[in-house]
Every structure is written in structure tokens, then in C-alpha cells.
């Protein structure tokens, strides 16, 4: 019998690290009291399996990273965009488990409305506790302590959609010239985006470049 707090009979896990994915599956199976997990390795597979589970009228929880072994952050954000309507309709729940540290990128994830965002560096009991909160019918996204601490840095600060696009591309380790080509803009425009974001964060450009290199 499932513990009273665990209200799902299917949990889809997408994690680029094999042993991390296996560990998450074991964790949710243990708390569910029976095998409920299903591991996938790409967003396309996750979307397909989600459609199958919904068609089978399963109570579905998705636990996903924002990148896969072959897909960059933009694909993860696109996945959240694609499932937003289903999320808002309450057809399933989504928990994002991410290593992102940039507050603007995290704010972009929050704007897409997953039920929970938890940082990978936090203890597993934080993840379990936040899964419990997915039972709530409110549409507010629950944030883990580390995530909340990071986004507090940019509360009230807004960046343009193009500046955010530049920032997302930086997670793919592209230089300014390559980024500008990808965005269809001049090199100097890409440099302006970088300068404005560093100003918003109140850090030197070199420090920001170092942080971006670790994304």
C-alpha cells in the first residue's frame, strides 16, 4: 500500500546521470511502497511516456533535469513550455531537479510554472518533502531553500527576452562570436547583453564569465 502522502502511481524520471537516475527511481519506489518509477534519458522520450501515462489515466509525477546527455538547456525549457497547459489543468505534476545556479535562468524556470524546483546539492529529504507539497491544488511553484536563496538576488530585476536567450545559450559554452551568429545579431550586441546582465548581477564581467563557464 502506498504511504498516504504519495499520491502517484507513475513517476517518470529523466536524469542525464545513470546512477543518479537509478537512485531517484529507488527513492520514489521506496516511498511509494511499490514500483512506480520509469526512467527515460531524453526529453522526447519523456514527452512520449508522459502522453502514454496520461492516456492510461495514471496519476503522474515527472522528476526531470533541465538538460539531458544530448540536449541543452533550451530543450529543457521547451519541454516545460510544451507541458505547461497540462500542468495548469492538473493532469500531472512536475518536479525540476537542477544544478543551475544562475538566478536569471532559475527565474525563467519558475516562470514556466513547474510544481517544484529543487537544487541537486540539497539533501534528498528536501526533495521528498517538496514532493509531498505537490498534493496542493495551488498553482504556486514551491522552491527549495537553495533555489529560493539564489533567486532572491534578482527579485524585482527584469531582463529582456533576448538577454535571457543569450544567457541560455551560454550554458552551451559558446563564445560571443558564435552566440551572436546563433542569435542572428552583431557581435557588439551580444557583448552588450553580457555587459547588461553583469550590471544587473552587480558583478564584474570577468567574474560573470567564470560563473557562466561552470553552468
Amino acid at each position: 500500500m502506498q504511504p498516504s502522502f504519495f499520491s502517484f502511481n507513475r513517476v517518470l524520471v529523466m536524469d542525464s546521470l545513470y546512477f543518479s537516475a537509478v537512485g531517484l527511481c529507488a527513492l520514489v519506489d521506496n516511498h511509494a511502497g511499490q514500483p512506480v518509477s520509469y526512467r527515460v534519458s531524453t526529453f522526447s522520450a519523456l514527452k512520449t511516456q508522459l502522453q502514454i501515462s496520461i492516456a492510461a489515466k495514471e496519476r503522474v509525477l515527472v522528476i526531470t533535469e533541465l538538460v539531458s546527455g544530448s540536449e541543452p538547456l533550451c530543450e529543457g525549457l521547451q519541454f516545460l513550455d510544451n507541458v505547461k497547459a497540462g500542468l495548469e489543468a492538473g493532469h500531472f505534476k512536475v518536479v525540476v531537479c537542477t544544478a543551475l545556479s544562475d538566478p536569471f535562468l532559475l527565474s525563467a524556470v519558475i516562470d514556466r510554472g513547474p510544481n517544484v524546483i529543487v537544487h541537486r546539492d540539497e539533501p534528498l529529504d528536501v526533495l521528498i518533502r517538496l514532493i509531498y507539497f505537490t498534493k496542493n491544488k495551488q498553482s504556486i511553484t514551491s522552491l527549495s531553500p537553495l533555489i529560493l536563496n539564489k533567486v532572491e538576488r534578482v527579485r524585482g530585476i527584469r531582463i529582456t527576452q533576448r538577454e535571457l536567450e543569450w544567457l541560455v545559450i551560454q550554458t552551451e559554452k559558446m563564445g560571443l562570436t558564435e552566440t551572436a551568429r546563433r542569435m542572428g545579431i552583431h557581435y557588439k550586441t551580444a557583448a552588450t547583453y553580457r555587459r547588461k546582465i553583469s550590471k544587473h548581477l552587480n558583478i564584474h564581467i570577468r567574474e560573470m564569465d567564470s560563473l557562466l563557464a561552470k553552468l
Side-chain angles (χ1 to χ4, degrees):
M1 180 179 295
Q2 293 180 335
S4 58
F5 86 89
F6 204 90
S7 57
F8 307 100
N9 51 26
R10 176 61 65 198
V11 179
L12 305 178
V13 176
M14 205 294 289
D15 195 302
S16 60
L17 301 176
Y18 173 77
F19 289 109
S20 177
V22 170
L24 281 172
C25 288
L27 180 73
V28 297
D29 287 348
N30 179 65
H31 280 271
Q34 60 181 322
V36 295
S37 63
Y38 187 94
R39 181 178 64 86
V40 298
S41 57
T42 65
F43 289 111
S44 57
L46 180 58
K47 185 177 180 180
T48 297
Q49 193 57 48
L50 180 58
Q51 292 171 340
I52 292 171
S53 294
I54 292 172
K57 301 186 183 302
E58 293 178 322
R59 300 185 305 276
V60 189
L61 172 67
V62 174
I63 302 177
T64 182
E65 275 192 288
L66 292 169
V67 296
S68 73
S70 59
E71 300 158 311
L73 177 61
C74 62
E75 295 291 337
L77 295 177
Q78 185 62 54
F79 171 78
L80 293 180
D81 285 336
N82 290 340
V83 302
K84 190 170 183 178
L87 265 175
E88 292 174 345
H91 296 323
F92 47 85
K93 305 287 186 176
V94 173
V95 172
V96 171
C97 188
T98 179
L100 283 179
S101 59
D102 182 87
F104 289 122
L105 292 178
L106 289 170
S107 295
V109 179
I110 294 170
D111 288 344
R112 285 163 167 81
N115 301 97
V116 168
I117 307 174
V118 61
H119 201 276
R120 293 179 70 94
D121 288 344
E122 291 176 294
L124 289 177
D125 66 314
V126 173
L127 173 62
I128 291 298
R129 188 177 77 247
L130 289 174
I131 287 176
Y132 172 82
F133 285 118
T134 60
K135 293 175 63 177
N136 296 337
K137 294 184 178 180
Q138 296 178 336
S139 59
I140 298 174
T141 299
S142 297
L143 307 179
S144 68
L146 277 179
I147 298 293
L148 183 60
N149 181 61
K150 293 177 186 299
V151 297
E152 280 291 334
R153 293 182 55 194
V154 295
R155 184 178 294 277
I157 300 175
R158 307 297 296 180
I159 65 175
T160 68
Q161 191 62 37
R162 289 294 269 174
E163 289 169 351
L164 180 59
E165 182 182 349
W166 176 86
L167 191 55
V168 170
I169 292 174
Q170 297 316 294
T171 65
E172 299 177 48
K173 317 300 182 189
M174 290 188 182
L176 277 179
T177 300
E178 191 175 5
T179 301
R181 187 180 302 113
R182 169 100 163 254
M183 295 180 68
I185 59 177
H186 194 277
Y187 172 90
K188 290 183 179 180
T189 304
T192 298
Y193 292 157
R194 180 176 66 168
R195 184 174 66 253
K196 285 184 176 180
I197 291 175
S198 70
K199 184 177 180 181
H200 284 315
L201 291 173
N202 196 29
I203 60 177
H204 193 276
I205 287 180
R206 288 182 180 177
E207 182 183 354
M208 188 181 73
D209 287 345
S210 177
L211 292 172
L212 290 173
K214 298 175 183 178
L215 290 176

